Amino acid sequence: MNGRAGRRVPAAASAASAAVGALTLLALAAGAAAPAAAVGGAAPETRSCTEVAAEDPEVGPFAGPSRALEAMGVPAAHEVLRRRGVLPGEGVTVAVVDTGIAPRAGLPAAPGVASYGPDGEPVDPHGTVVAGLVAAPPRPDGDAVGVAPGARLVDVRVLDAFSPQEGQAGPLAVRVAEGLEHVLAQVRRVGGARPVVDVVNVSVAVPPEPRIDAAVEALWRAGVVVVAESGDRPVDEADPLPDELAVATPGEDAASQVHPAGAGEGRGEHVLGVAAVGDAPDAPDAGVLRSSAIDVAAPTVGGVSVGLNGGTCGVDSVSTSWAAAQVTGVVALLMSAYPDDTPEQVLDRLLPAADGRADVRSPTRGAGVVRADEALARGLGPPAPEAPRSIADAEPATAPVPEPDLLASVRDDAVWWGVLGGGALLLALVLRPVLARRDPARTSR
């Protein structure tokens, strides 16, 4: 994510949000806000999550269901799980590698798993918004906020702000690596048949770092799914991505320059890379990097999450950060529905159910926009036969060895007897006219 998606200095955010909050209160007092929300039905929340400060009041209005969740079939998936008696995300632990989760947000913390990073209130709302998109409880009107409200969260704070002020830590690849290594250490410490952390969300895009590659690979082998944003186009000097990515170029592929999404020799083979789409999903957003590391995409505009003050707020930008959070929620939802699935099986449900083609990936949408309801209903096919790793590993082709013919001698004898019989018959036919011409009367004279 970058400045395009609404990162703000806390003081500026506080001033802007205070003004918006005052206007909202006036609208509520006049009785105009609720009717306006009812007429719109699908409008986003009235306050942007990136503009809400911790001291802002928790005021509405609630403007309608999340358009982003509806586009992914999340409400339908929730209803299916409700009928099964399963809370979406129940029994699943998600680590959020980000700017920290605000305590006032009231999001459920995972017991027995240590958090990481400095104590105190977060100064940047980004991590709280991400965590809310994953696992926030429904709003008072019953509409969903987080995709997997039953999931438990681990706060892994690796930076203070994306546009850091003096004394604050910004987005650095080494800090992201340290956060992933912390999660891996927690998984190894507890052990057991199932990892203590099931999913890791990394809504941070940084340049390549070997430690990130190693941590991602180790987490995958331990049974942990890592979900990462594929990367927004950098727009300011605070963004850690290379300046050359600020302008789109023909044939662009940012996979090798954006991690963790492109981590490893296989360019994100063991990371679920997520892109973002706008209100017109068939038209790629110019602010999203094109990348071969994109596996799926998710809509973000019109989403709903929670802010630093604990109140609900709106997501009003196209950003791979928000998209990765929502897909993380879908992964947690699937894990709660199918707790015995391996990471490979979870992805085998998710990718083919997207609205594109899993076998022909788009550089802007991967296999397409995720569909939680379709993935939930999808059965698992039989495993494909393992192919040789390379041509050199394949067995050389050889001609098949013929089976022994047990009737060969009998068949040969039959052929010869047939020839002899046919010859005798032919001879008889030739001699018959000759013998018939001999007149017995003439012979007697």
Side-chain angles (χ1 to χ4, degrees):
M1 182 180 176
N2 49 40
R4 176 177 74 89
R7 291 175 183 155
R8 298 290 188 271
V9 178
S14 177
S17 59
V20 175
L23 291 174
T24 303
L25 288 172
L26 289 174
L28 284 172
V39 172
E45 298 280 303
T46 55
R47 295 175 298 165
S48 172
C49 290
T50 56
E51 300 291 352
V52 176
E55 61 272 18
D56 288 345
E58 295 183 33
V59 295
F62 300 127
S66 166
R67 300 205 313 269
L69 296 191
E70 289 186 328
M72 295 187 294
V74 171
H78 282 185
E79 177 60 22
V80 171
L81 291 183
R82 184 191 66 79
R83 292 197 298 266
R84 294 185 190 177
V86 176
L87 179 64
E90 184 178 8
V92 179
T93 299
V94 178
V96 178
V97 180
D98 216 289
T99 62
I101 304 173
R104 290 188 64 183
L107 299 175
V113 186
S115 59
Y116 178 83
D119 296 328
E121 293 282 345
V123 297
D124 189 318
H126 189 272
T128 302
V129 178
V130 165
L133 290 170
V134 174
R139 299 183 301 185
D141 59 7
D143 286 329
V145 176
V147 180
R152 297 294 180 262
L153 304 175
V154 180
D155 188 358
V156 182
R157 192 183 304 190
V158 297
L159 71 157
D160 294 320
F162 283 91
S163 297
Q165 304 301 299
E166 185 176 355
Q168 294 178 346
L172 296 175
V174 66
R175 294 185 182 275
V176 173
E178 290 169 353
L180 292 171
E181 289 165 352
H182 168 78
V183 176
L184 180 60
Q186 292 297 301
V187 170
R188 289 174 171 171
R189 177 183 64 83
V190 177
R194 178 170 173 172
V196 69
V197 174
D198 302 289
V199 193
V200 181
N201 181 91
V202 189
S203 289
V204 184
V206 293
E209 164 58 50
R211 288 171 59 185
I212 291 179
D213 293 9
V216 163
E217 184 67 25
L219 285 166
W220 176 263
R221 290 197 304 268
V224 181
V225 176
V226 178
V227 184
E229 66 163 273
S230 63
D232 296 343
R233 199 168 299 284
V235 296
D236 57 48
E237 60 183 12
D239 199 298
L241 296 181
D243 293 339
E244 63 194 73
L245 295 177
V247 179
T249 57
E252 176 183 67
D253 185 359
S256 63
Q257 298 173 283
V258 180
H259 282 200
E265 295 181 359
R267 293 193 176 185
E269 179 182 5
H270 291 158
V271 181
L272 185 62
V274 183
V277 297
D279 287 333
D282 294 334
D285 189 274
V288 176
L289 294 169
R290 298 171 67 90
S291 172
S292 60
I294 296 174
D295 294 301
V296 291
T300 58
V301 176
V304 180
S305 187
V306 293
L308 290 176
N309 66 342
T312 53
C313 49
V315 174
D316 56 4
S317 59
V318 179
S319 174
T320 58
S321 279
W322 310 143
Q326 294 186 133
V327 172
T328 294
V330 174
V331 171
L333 180 151
L334 292 175
M335 287 181 169
S336 64
Y338 302 101
D340 295 329
D341 273 6
T342 65
E344 294 91 342
Q345 290 173 322
V346 172
L347 300 188
D348 188 40
R349 296 185 192 277
L350 181 73
L351 297 178
D355 69 358
R357 290 187 58 180
D359 57 335
V360 182
R361 303 289 180 86
S362 161
T364 58
R365 302 169 76 243
V369 173
V370 298
R371 292 289 308 184
D373 51 349
E374 298 289 341
L376 187 63
R378 180 176 173 78
L380 296 175
E386 184 176 356
R389 288 171 294 175
S390 67
I391 295 177
D393 294 331
E395 293 292 334
T398 58
V401 178
E403 295 290 335
D405 191 350
L406 301 178
L407 299 177
S409 60
V410 176
R411 188 163 46 250
D412 291 342
D413 291 343
V415 170
W416 283 112
W417 281 112
V419 172
L420 292 174
L425 179 61
L426 180 62
L427 181 61
L429 292 174
V430 171
L431 293 177
R432 186 172 180 272
V434 176
L435 295 175
R437 291 193 193 103
R438 297 182 63 186
D439 188 351
R442 291 179 61 186
T443 303
S444 64
R445 290 186 299 189

